[in-house]
Amino acid sequence: NDFKCPFDDDGNLLPRERLSKPRWQEELNILYVAMTRVQRLLQLPDEVAELLQRIGRRQPQADSEARRDEHLANIRRGDKARWKLFENATEDISFSVTVATVPFPRGPDGNILALDDAIEPQVALQEITTALLRFHPDKFLARYGSLMGPEEQRAGSRLRQRLAEVARALIQMRKDYSLVQDPGSPPPNECPICLSQVGPFNGSALLYTRCCKKQKLCADCSERLRG
């Protein structure tokens, strides 16, 4: 069975914004081809039967799709204008870059850039790459670090954690727009919360979480979680 059901780790159906992207459209096409090639009796695995039932309950109406497209377009226009204003503001060396003053993208879950379904995958990947160069913590600090206070520059600061959240959402979008199934693993010394690379490459400087000892975080993020 080559088909991968679009459920998250908790068994929930992935959001509509992710299912509409090329990777999951390809998976659904595999399921469609498999079902239409059946010559006698179609016996669906329980997981696939559950998927079809859930998708059937989620079928959108034409008017709701039109409202969604307009809503996404409004978000894109607004985010573009907000970022331009931010760039202009940062030309003033007295401007303070904080988690409250950064215009983070406001797209829905699974589509943080609010991209239209009609966009060509290659164009979408270019948009995602541009956003990653803008919001990845390392890239952002290299460009705007001089306008950030010491507290905001700390690895576990609210700003760096928010930047990391956006970067992870963008990386997930890049996966969903790509048909490559194994995009690679993060470095062993990368904190999964703020995406900072800390200490030796083997990750020995990261600290295990107290709750389950399964996740390793940088000292700042670990302290913030405990606090």
Side-chain angles (χ1 to χ4, degrees):
N1 181 13
D2 294 329
F3 177 68
K4 178 177 175 60
C5 280
F7 297 136
D8 62 20
D9 293 339
D10 296 321
N12 301 312
L13 183 63
L14 294 180
R16 181 252 187 273
E17 296 295 340
R18 289 193 61 191
L19 289 180
S20 64
K21 302 302 181 287
R23 176 186 174 189
W24 290 109
Q25 287 296 299
E26 180 72 10
E27 291 287 350
L28 294 173
N29 285 339
I30 291 174
L31 175 61
Y32 172 78
V33 171
M35 293 176 62
T36 54
R37 285 183 178 177
V38 174
Q39 298 180 0
R40 294 184 179 180
L41 178 65
L42 177 61
Q43 185 172 1
L44 296 175
D46 292 342
E47 188 179 35
V48 174
E50 175 68 15
L51 168 64
L52 295 178
Q53 186 178 33
R54 294 193 193 184
I55 288 180
R57 292 197 296 262
R58 192 191 277 184
Q59 287 300 314
Q61 301 297 320
D63 60 339
S64 66
E65 284 295 283
R67 289 195 299 270
R68 170 182 171 272
D69 292 344
E70 181 180 0
H71 179 60
L72 292 178
N74 288 335
I75 291 175
R76 288 197 305 275
R77 285 193 293 268
D79 285 354
K80 183 176 180 179
R82 290 166 62 240
W83 183 258
K84 183 62 178 177
L85 291 172
F86 175 75
E87 286 188 314
N88 291 341
T90 56
E91 293 178 1
D92 183 350
I93 59 174
S94 65
F95 181 77
S96 180
V97 173
T98 69
V99 70
T101 60
V102 177
F104 294 105
R106 301 169 299 165
D109 184 25
N111 186 13
I112 193 172
L113 296 183
L115 299 182
D116 190 281
D117 289 345
I119 191 172
E120 290 292 328
Q122 201 58 38
V123 177
L125 289 171
Q126 292 173 357
E127 293 281 344
I128 294 167
T129 297
T130 298
L132 276 170
L133 291 174
R134 178 178 293 172
F135 290 107
H136 190 284
D138 291 342
K139 304 295 184 182
F140 189 91
L141 263 70
R143 185 173 181 182
Y144 300 110
S146 62
L147 300 176
M148 295 164 54
E151 176 62 24
E152 296 287 10
Q153 293 191 35
R154 291 177 60 239
S157 71
R158 290 177 57 212
L159 174 56
R160 292 191 64 163
Q161 289 194 16
R162 180 66 182 126
L163 288 168
E165 290 173 5
V166 172
R168 283 193 293 271
L170 292 168
I171 291 169
Q172 183 60 66
M173 278 191 72
R174 186 170 62 186
K175 293 178 183 178
D176 288 343
Y177 271 101
S178 174
L179 298 180
V180 178
Q181 295 299 312
D182 184 12
S185 301
N189 64 336
E190 182 178 279
C191 173
I193 293 182
C194 66
L195 300 185
S196 301
Q197 294 184 25
V198 181
F201 183 75
N202 64 8
S204 59
L206 298 178
L207 305 176
Y208 279 106
T209 53
R210 291 185 175 181
C211 58
C212 58
K213 304 289 186 182
K214 291 182 178 180
Q215 194 171 46
K216 299 177 72 174
L217 310 177
C218 71
D220 287 334
C221 288
S222 179
E223 180 181 354
R224 186 173 293 273
L225 285 177
R226 289 198 304 268

